[in-house]
Amino acid sequence: VSVFLFLLFTTKSGDEPKNKRMCVAMGFLSRLFNNFFDYSYPLFTVIMKFAVANFLWFFFNFPVFVIAMMLFFANSPDTRVLFIFSIVVLLPFLFFPATAALFGIVRDWILHREKRMYASFWKYFRSNYKKSMTAGFLITIVMGISIVDYYYFVERNLLLSYLFLIFIGWTFLFSLYYLSDIVHNDLSQKQHLKNSLLLILSNPLVSIIVAVLCIGIVVISVGYFTFFVPICMGSLIAFVSFKGYYIVFSRVVELKEL
């Protein structure tokens, strides 16, 4: 760009050698920008897809995130209890159905079945609402009890606190596999829960990688770069989770067909 501007302002009319040099510089810049946009356009498209999908998820969960922010700044213990109770109540009704819809969109990306994002999100939200809500109640209760037990034992019994921390991570992974399964298979609720458990156990290495990556995304987004939460946190977790789930699921299907 500097070369182009130098030639542009130093070239006089009738100066044929300099005119040629300016044409060469303009041609070089044209090819440079064309190559840049050719290579960067797919990247920008992917970033925009992740951002739009995450914004839809964040919008549907907006009350949950607002209350979570209020909880962070609350000083009174009674106020904190009220905010925590409100979040727990909203999770099955908003968070889990919206997250299932986000997983559905990501599934379409991975399987190359992309459709209109807004319509697909609403379709997955409605079609999986009952399953995700009922499972959300179960997962929220189990996760809540485990978190309370962890904080209870953290200063009383270090070994038990670590065991509950591992169980919290396992419950988190189970919820990710469950959300992946309900958007990929049309089965009964009992079968979805069973599939999620069996798929986690069938390939522990992939399951551990998915858990570590997703927990890392949460820690980085919440603890260091908070702006990731409305921009890309949910969609990144959904992508990593469904990708790992689909690798394990495809392998199990192949083994059954042998």
Side-chain angles (χ1 to χ4, degrees):
V1 175
S2 300
V3 173
F4 170 72
L5 293 176
F6 174 77
L7 291 174
L8 178 64
F9 288 107
T10 58
T11 302
K12 299 179 181 179
S13 57
D15 194 344
E16 186 173 348
K18 289 187 177 181
N19 283 333
K20 288 183 178 180
R21 288 199 298 270
M22 188 176 71
C23 291
V24 171
M26 290 179 65
F28 171 77
L29 285 176
S30 177
R31 291 192 298 272
L32 181 65
F33 281 116
N34 286 337
N35 290 335
F36 172 77
F37 285 113
D38 286 342
Y39 287 107
S40 62
Y41 179 77
L43 177 62
F44 290 148
T45 302
V46 171
I47 293 173
M48 184 59 64
K49 283 165 52 177
F50 274 82
V52 172
N54 198 88
F55 175 77
L56 288 171
W57 172 75
F58 184 83
F59 176 77
F60 274 72
N61 284 301
F62 189 70
V64 178
F65 289 114
V66 169
I67 298 174
M69 289 296 296
M70 295 169 66
L71 172 64
F72 181 77
F73 292 105
N75 295 320
S76 170
D78 294 337
T79 306
R80 290 177 180 174
V81 171
L82 177 62
F83 287 154
I84 292 173
F85 177 77
S86 301
I87 292 173
V88 169
V89 171
L90 287 175
L91 286 178
F93 294 102
L94 289 180
F95 181 82
F96 280 92
T99 307
L102 178 62
F103 272 68
I105 290 178
V106 171
R107 170 189 178 270
D108 291 341
W109 296 349
I110 294 175
L111 300 183
H112 304 290
R113 302 174 185 175
E114 295 184 44
K115 304 170 186 175
R116 292 180 59 189
M117 194 175 297
Y118 304 100
S120 296
F121 190 95
W122 181 240
K123 183 195 76 171
Y124 282 115
F125 185 87
R126 289 183 302 164
S127 61
N128 295 300
Y129 188 86
K130 185 176 180 180
K131 288 181 180 179
S132 57
M133 182 187 67
T134 53
F137 276 111
L138 176 62
I139 294 171
T140 301
I141 292 171
V142 172
M143 185 75 80
I145 294 174
S146 302
I147 292 173
V148 171
D149 288 335
Y150 167 75
Y151 280 105
Y152 178 80
F153 286 110
V154 71
E155 294 182 357
R156 294 172 175 83
N157 191 314
L158 196 60
L159 177 60
L160 281 177
S161 67
Y162 282 141
L163 290 177
F164 277 110
L165 188 61
I166 293 172
F167 184 73
I168 291 169
W170 182 88
T171 306
F172 176 65
L173 177 64
F174 176 84
S175 66
L176 298 177
Y177 271 60
Y178 170 80
L179 291 168
S180 299
D181 197 66
I182 64 171
V183 299
H184 190 61
N185 299 301
D186 187 14
L187 304 170
S188 66
Q189 184 73 293
K190 182 179 179 180
Q191 192 62 45
H192 284 305
L193 296 171
K194 181 180 177 182
N195 280 1
S196 304
L197 177 60
L198 293 177
L199 289 173
I200 290 174
L201 298 176
S202 64
N203 197 325
L205 178 60
V206 174
S207 300
I208 291 173
I209 292 173
V210 169
V212 170
L213 289 176
C214 291
I215 291 173
I217 292 170
V218 173
V219 171
I220 292 172
S221 300
V222 176
Y224 298 96
F225 303 102
T226 313
F227 61 91
F228 279 4
V229 176
I231 294 177
C232 62
M233 185 187 78
S235 53
L236 284 175
I237 291 174
F239 183 85
V240 172
S241 303
F242 189 86
K243 190 70 174 179
Y245 161 87
Y246 191 67
I247 291 172
V248 178
F249 179 82
S250 300
R251 181 58 180 165
V252 170
V253 172
E254 290 176 2
L255 291 175
K256 285 184 178 181
E257 292 177 351
L258 292 178

